[in-house]
């Protein structure tokens, strides 16, 4: 099974800040797109579907598909619509057990 990310960073000179995804510390480029930075770090999946638990990762990168949903400091957000800031606490969204979506 392939584990290395196929995404790479073009600009390696930007200032990096520490964030946590599911408790794992990551050093991401401040001000860059959060979904792109997480993909470049090999983070997968971003979330799981409520019914089957199927893994989901960013697909459209423009706010249309919602496959990039994460919780940032307790609020559910689209990672592709958020810029990286220092000390973000990022987790997979909690699954609503009453949801049929
Ligand atoms: S990747 Fe589709 S909404 Fe974020």
């Amino acid at each position: 099974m392939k584990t290395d990310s196929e995404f790479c960073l073009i600009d390696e000179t930007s200032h990096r800040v520490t964030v946590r995804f599911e408790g794992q510390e990551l050093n991401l480029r401040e001000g860059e797109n959060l979904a792109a930075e997480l993909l470049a770090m090999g983070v997968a999946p971003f979330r799981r579907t409520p019914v089957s638990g199927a893994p989901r990762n960013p697909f459209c990168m423009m706010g249309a598909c919602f496959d990039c949903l994460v919780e940032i400091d307790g609020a559910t957000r689209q990672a592709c619509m958020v810029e990286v800031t220092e000390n973000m606490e990022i987790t997979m969204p909690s699954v609503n057990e009453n949801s049929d979506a």
Side-chain angles (χ1 to χ4, degrees):
M1 179 162 120
K2 201 170 174 182
T3 57
D4 291 339
S5 175
E6 293 184 10
F7 297 89
C8 65
L9 301 174
I10 296 172
D11 176 11
E12 288 286 349
T13 61
S14 298
H15 176 65
R16 288 184 177 270
V17 294
T18 301
V19 307
R20 277 161 298 285
F21 183 89
E22 293 288 318
Q24 179 186 0
E25 279 196 6
L26 302 169
N27 292 313
L28 306 183
R29 297 177 304 158
E30 187 171 34
E32 296 296 329
N33 181 279
L34 177 60
E37 290 291 303
L38 292 175
L39 286 170
M41 297 300 288
V43 170
F46 279 38
R47 70 176 185 98
R48 294 194 175 275
T49 58
V51 174
S52 69
R56 290 289 183 264
N57 277 333
F59 181 70
C60 71
M61 297 298 283
M62 61 182 198
C65 74
F66 288 77
D67 277 344
C68 66
L69 287 181
V70 292
E71 278 189 17
I72 303 170
D73 300 326
T76 304
R77 305 281 307 273
Q78 293 164 287
C80 70
M81 297 286 109
V82 175
E83 292 181 357
V84 173
T85 60
E86 189 154 22
N87 291 323
M88 290 175 134
E89 284 288 340
I90 309 160
T91 59
M92 289 189 198
S94 46
V95 175
N96 180 354
E97 295 183 14
N98 295 324
S99 172
D100 59 356

